[in-house]
Amino acid sequence: MFGAAVLRFVPGLYVDEGLNWTDAIFTSTSAVCVTGLIVVDTATYFTPMGQAFILLLIQLGGLGMLVLTSVIISALGGRPSLSTENLAVGARHMLPQVTARRLIFDVVRFTFFFEAAGAIMLYVIWGPQLGWTDSLWPAIFHSVSAFCNAGFSTNSASLMGFQHSPATIVVVSGLVIAGGLGFISMEELHQRFIRRNKAVRRLSVHTKLVLVVSSLLLFGCWPIFAVFEWTGVLSEMSMVDKLTNSFFLSVTPRTAGFNTIDYGAASDSTNFLTIILMMIGGSPGSTAGGMKTTTFALLGLLAWSRLRSHSTASFADRSIPSETIQRATGLFVIAIGIVVVGVFLLASIGDAYGASEPFIVRFFEVASAFNTVGLSMGVTSELSTPSRWVVIFLMFAGRTGPLSIAAALVIRLTAGGRYRLAYEDVVVG
């Protein structure tokens, strides 16, 4: 609400007139939840000061308020509570040899290192084309937005103007991938290969799973998107541009929100595969949204173990605890349920207001909002007021809901209960 109030009342943020309450809440929610869906053009509607405030909301949402609060308290000579530290860094038990305070500071260091490096590279790439003065702010804005997986852009057409710039696509892709790996995995890789910490003798199953699934999704979907759009939206491009843009199609749904093509002109097969990638999202403890790569992987491992009649799911010579499998299954079911309800509401409201978008357009919009992606087939600014409130709820639920749901499942499973009811079987299939 603070962000919405600032956008609503503070002068100097707009080129012309300000936002109404619904659009102010929509914009601030999209920024804090690092989604990227917009109802007004960030490039033309906001002044540089307005864009800077949106970038501040993106940074707060990407890093997390608990992380920033812990850093500020530590910098002032105090110490955050143990519960605050644990909440700020998530599953710290994955790295028992690293203190919570150290991990929090490393999260901030990683963030600003990647954002600074990305801004410098984009500035060098764009400087000769846009001018060294005019390219400075866009380079900073896009670097922060990319690493935080936010998808906001100072260009009206996102990155479509750079679809013939392979260097831009590679740099932005690298920032998105780094932001979506998860700080726990990044810290473990840093301790293992950069600091060569002897206490980290091997990578955890979590990090191995993150790296394997992320690689499979990125490089597995790359040729599929190329086949789908080779004679479609990519047909007018050179060979190199076709390859880089099809690679970006596999990067941006998880969950960056930048686009180098018009998804409204893409094929249904491309858009449906994009929806699947949006639902999977990034990795736990990252700036990305979605159900997370590990959830997707655990469901696949569960199915594979059942097909082989194994009682437990395993990966990398390790068995996965059944409680973790249950949490992943519960998270998947709840996420799918919320998306189904969101599609139903958006379709019902759209029909009531005489909207004529195809079903896949509404499905795409709901999946993008709940999984905090920010991609759109061009209908966000045309949504009615009730539909915008549905999208606001989906963005907020997607950013906070899955984490809260997972925490609740952990508490319930840990509590266990003092008794259980009698078993009685049910026919399945």
Side-chain angles (χ1 to χ4, degrees):
M1 289 303 295
F2 168 75
V6 172
L7 291 174
R8 183 73 176 88
F9 296 116
V10 174
L13 302 182
Y14 307 101
V15 173
D16 194 4
E17 60 182 11
L19 297 172
N20 58 41
W21 268 115
T22 298
D23 291 348
I25 294 174
F26 189 104
T27 302
S28 65
T29 303
S30 183
V32 172
C33 295
V34 289
T35 304
L37 290 174
I38 56 174
V39 289
V40 295
D41 185 5
T42 308
T44 59
Y45 202 88
F46 295 98
T47 64
M49 187 169 71
Q51 293 174 359
F53 180 71
I54 290 177
L55 194 64
L56 174 63
L57 294 179
I58 291 172
Q59 190 73 88
L60 292 174
L63 267 178
M65 288 301 298
L66 285 172
V67 170
L68 291 178
T69 302
S70 299
V71 171
I72 292 172
I73 292 174
S74 298
L76 294 175
R79 178 180 177 84
S81 66
L82 292 177
S83 59
T84 299
E85 287 183 341
N86 288 331
L87 285 172
V89 298
R92 194 180 65 83
H93 64 275
M94 302 295 298
L95 291 167
Q97 70 280 358
V98 180
T99 64
R101 181 181 291 191
R102 173 60 182 272
L103 184 53
I104 289 171
F105 275 100
D106 280 349
V107 165
V108 177
R109 284 200 308 161
F110 289 146
T111 299
F112 289 120
F113 170 78
F114 279 106
E115 290 175 353
I120 292 171
M121 286 187 284
L122 290 176
Y123 180 64
V124 171
I125 295 169
W126 293 346
Q129 177 183 352
L130 304 178
W132 296 106
T133 301
D134 294 338
S135 61
L136 179 59
W137 174 241
I140 296 172
F141 190 99
H142 285 87
S143 180
V144 175
S145 184
F147 183 78
C148 292
N149 280 222
F152 278 85
S153 175
T154 56
N155 304 317
S156 298
S158 189
L159 296 181
M160 289 184 64
F162 298 98
Q163 59 185 200
H164 301 294
S165 174
T168 297
I169 294 176
V170 169
V171 171
V172 174
S173 296
L175 289 167
V176 171
I177 293 169
L181 278 180
F183 293 115
I184 295 292
S185 297
M186 289 173 64
E187 177 67 26
E188 189 172 357
L189 291 171
H190 179 256
Q191 293 289 333
R192 178 69 176 83
F193 297 108
I194 305 300
R195 294 182 61 87
R196 298 188 181 277
N197 190 337
K198 295 181 179 180
V200 184
R201 298 180 179 179
R202 66 174 184 85
L203 294 179
S204 65
V205 172
H206 169 83
T207 297
K208 290 178 180 178
L209 204 58
V210 165
L211 295 176
V212 169
V213 175
S214 297
S215 299
L216 287 175
L217 292 175
L218 287 171
F219 297 104
C221 293
W222 180 7
I224 298 176
F225 278 121
V227 170
F228 285 164
E229 297 299 337
W230 198 264
T231 57
V233 294
L234 305 178
S235 60
E236 302 297 324
M237 300 181 186
S238 66
M239 176 73 72
V240 173
D241 291 338
K242 284 181 177 180
L243 293 175
T244 53
N245 280 270
S246 57
F247 176 69
F248 196 69
L249 287 173
S250 70
V251 172
T252 192
R254 307 178 37 249
T255 55
F258 293 111
N259 62 288
T260 59
I261 66 157
D262 179 7
Y263 280 91
S267 63
D268 284 348
S269 53
T270 291
N271 289 328
F272 189 69
L273 179 56
T274 301
I275 290 173
I276 294 174
L277 291 179
M278 288 194 291
M279 291 297 298
I280 296 172
S283 300
S286 70
T287 59
M291 289 184 295
K292 304 297 186 292
T293 53
T294 50
T295 300
F296 171 72
L298 290 178
L299 293 175
L301 291 174
L302 174 63
W304 180 240
S305 67
R306 293 296 182 265
L307 288 174
R308 295 185 299 164
S309 300
H310 290 179
S311 58
T312 59
S314 60
F315 180 78
D317 297 325
R318 292 290 188 275
S319 295
I320 309 298
S322 58
E323 294 83 0
T324 304
I325 298 293
Q326 291 179 40
R327 290 200 301 271
T329 305
L331 193 59
F332 171 78
V333 172
I334 294 171
I336 293 296
I338 293 175
V339 169
V340 169
V341 172
V343 173
F344 175 77
L345 291 175
L346 214 61
S348 301
I349 295 171
D351 291 342
Y353 278 77
S356 57
E357 301 94 357
F359 175 78
I360 194 168
V361 174
R362 298 169 182 175
F363 190 9
F364 195 99
E365 196 79 7
V366 169
S368 179
F370 177 70
N371 298 289
T372 68
V373 180
L375 293 176
S376 176
M377 295 178 70
V379 300
T380 308
S381 59
E382 301 173 4
L383 294 174
S384 63
T385 298
S387 294
R388 292 185 183 189
W389 279 103
V390 171
V391 173
I392 289 172
F393 168 77
L394 288 170
M395 289 189 294
F396 186 78
R399 189 60 178 169
T400 62
L403 294 175
S404 302
I405 292 166
L409 288 172
V410 169
I411 294 172
R412 290 293 301 275
L413 289 171
T414 302
R418 297 181 179 178
Y419 65 93
R420 66 167 177 81
L421 300 176
Y423 287 118
E424 184 171 347
D425 209 352
V426 176
V427 177
V428 176

